[in-house]
Amino acid sequence: MEETNNNSSEEGFLLLGFSDQPQLERFLFVIILHFYILSLLGNTAIILVSHLDPKLHTPMYFFLRHLSCVDLCFTSSVAPQLLVTMATEDRSVSYGACVAQLYVAMGLGSSECVLLAVMAYDRYAAVCRPLRYAAVMHPRLCASLAGAAWLSGLVTSLIQCSLTVRLPLCGHRKLDHIFCEVPVLIKLACGDTTVNEAELFVASVVFLIVPVSLILVSYGFITQAVLRIQSAAGRQKAFGTCSSHLAVVIVFYGTIIFMYLQPAKSSSKNQGKFVSLFYTIVTPLLNPIIYTLRNKDVKAALRALMVGGVLGPGRGDARKTRHPTRRWTAQGTRLLVLPEHPPHRSQGSML
């Protein structure tokens, strides 16, 4: 770190948030607290049901499970610290906590950008290549795509945040924002930030414009394929498989593009705070709501999970159900697709 950063590294930062509007801050505290609790419950429920219900062991829910995990970690990297600073008069945040939040939030946000693009490709394969869907979206490819999403977020976080923490702050400690974020620290710097702004713009193009372009292309092909379907019921079903993902894409990218694809010193302070509040607190809650309310499979799995938790596992009913399903399971680090088979044991297991 530069010598001019010594004061900030020793004393930490002051997160001002909405301290200049006490009534608004008290109102937002209640809203954020409820949203955070609901987000924890909703995303945890999706992770559990998509893991426990064999009918949801498909590529779509495999990626949805990763999306819920990203959202769970993303909102948890921001909300607890925000609630503490809003509930107390002490606005101070240690330098180490701020830097850790900077790295984690940047990495998880970038991973979600890539993951949403991967999910768009999955929907393209399901609608446009239905007969070859199982071969295209095989378990090894799904695991590789999910791993690439997590790894890309880690790499861009290490690069961008490492450049940001090297900026001279000249003893400036007041962050007029709700959490430690790269554009905010760039504004706080007292030196030349041209390189940092250029690198942030390039990273924003790579993780925002490129994924959005791929998503638009995917949905262009999806729309063409759906319009060729003769029956209205078939078209409605095809659109239904994609509408949830499209709604999440619009909500997430619409807010985060506004925050990152603009000059670092152009947006108003309150505007930036509310935008950041939306994609760190509101969006992680909207994802499970959207996927649950618009998805019959998830709703059925949630009901089965709740009934099973109250009445017991119900193995007798499970034995009576003979609907064939594609089962995904984990063996070591590999995902295997087990062939459909009747309930009774036959000529041995493939595990």
Side-chain angles (χ1 to χ4, degrees):
M1 294 295 296
E2 301 287 343
E3 183 178 354
T4 50
N5 277 8
N6 287 342
N7 292 337
S8 297
S9 61
E10 292 175 359
E11 302 176 10
F13 297 97
L14 296 177
L15 279 178
L16 300 183
F18 298 94
S19 58
D20 57 336
Q21 305 175 66
Q23 293 183 348
L24 175 62
E25 188 173 56
R26 284 192 291 269
F27 172 75
L28 288 176
F29 174 83
V30 176
I31 298 298
I32 293 170
L33 178 60
H34 284 82
F35 275 29
Y36 179 56
I37 294 174
L38 292 175
S39 178
L40 292 180
L41 295 175
N43 284 290
T44 302
I46 286 182
I47 294 173
L48 288 177
V49 298
S50 63
H51 178 72
L52 297 176
D53 193 330
K55 294 181 181 179
L56 303 184
H57 291 179
T58 63
M60 173 181 173
Y61 297 105
F62 172 77
F63 293 124
L64 179 57
R65 185 161 65 246
H66 280 269
L67 179 65
S68 292
C69 185
V70 170
D71 283 336
L72 198 62
C73 298
F74 192 24
T75 190
S76 294
S77 69
V78 175
Q81 179 64 56
L82 177 59
L83 291 171
V84 169
T85 56
M86 294 176 75
T88 62
E89 295 183 0
D90 184 11
R91 304 280 170 171
S92 62
V93 178
S94 68
Y95 180 81
C98 185
V99 171
Q101 187 178 65
L102 191 74
Y103 277 94
V104 173
M106 185 73 176
L108 292 172
S110 302
S111 296
E112 182 158 354
C113 292
V114 178
L115 192 57
L116 288 173
V118 169
M119 295 175 72
Y121 176 72
D122 171 67
R123 292 301 84 206
Y124 160 79
V127 176
C128 300
R129 300 289 186 270
L131 298 181
R132 301 188 64 249
Y133 178 65
V136 172
M137 299 303 296
H138 55 85
R140 183 175 297 176
L141 176 62
C142 292
S144 299
L145 291 175
W150 287 94
L151 182 61
S152 62
L154 174 63
V155 171
T156 189
S157 176
L158 290 175
I159 295 174
Q160 180 63 56
C161 296
S162 297
L163 290 175
T164 302
V165 298
R166 292 176 61 85
L167 288 172
L169 301 179
C170 302
H172 297 164
R173 300 180 57 233
K174 294 183 179 180
L175 291 178
D176 196 2
H177 201 54
I178 61 172
F179 73 102
C180 296
E181 197 170 14
V182 170
V184 181
L185 287 176
I186 291 178
K187 290 181 184 180
L188 196 65
C190 59
D192 184 15
T193 60
T194 303
V195 174
N196 296 80
E197 292 183 25
E199 202 282 331
L200 179 62
F201 180 79
V202 171
S204 300
V205 170
V206 172
F207 285 92
L208 295 176
I209 299 301
V210 173
V212 167
S213 301
L214 294 175
I215 290 171
L216 292 177
V217 170
S218 298
Y219 275 99
F221 285 114
I222 289 172
T223 302
Q224 292 179 355
V226 170
L227 293 178
R228 288 196 295 266
I229 299 176
Q230 299 297 326
S231 66
R235 287 195 298 270
Q236 184 177 2
K237 182 178 180 180
F239 275 124
T241 62
C242 304
S243 59
S244 298
H245 175 259
L246 189 58
V248 171
V249 166
I250 293 173
V251 171
F252 179 76
Y253 281 106
T255 53
I256 203 167
I257 284 177
F258 179 87
M259 185 67 184
Y260 281 85
L261 281 182
Q262 60 178 328
K265 300 181 180 179
S266 65
S267 63
S268 67
K269 295 177 180 179
N270 285 335
Q271 198 175 46
K273 293 176 189 177
F274 281 108
V275 171
S276 296
L277 196 64
F278 199 89
Y279 64 75
T280 56
I281 305 297
V282 179
T283 302
L285 171 62
L286 291 180
N287 289 353
I289 292 177
I290 291 172
Y291 278 105
T292 301
L293 294 181
R294 299 185 60 86
N295 193 302
K296 295 180 180 179
D297 293 335
V298 175
K299 288 191 287 187
L302 282 172
R303 284 195 296 267
L305 180 63
M306 289 186 292
V307 172
V310 175
L311 301 179
R315 296 180 179 177
D317 294 338
R319 285 195 297 267
K320 295 178 183 178
T321 303
R322 298 181 181 274
H323 299 293
T325 59
R326 184 173 297 277
R327 301 173 64 90
W328 285 44
T329 183
Q331 183 170 355
T333 58
R334 297 180 57 191
L335 289 174
L336 303 176
V337 179
L338 300 182
E340 298 171 358
H341 57 277
H344 63 273
R345 293 181 179 270
S346 55
Q347 300 175 354
S349 171
M350 294 188 64
L351 290 178

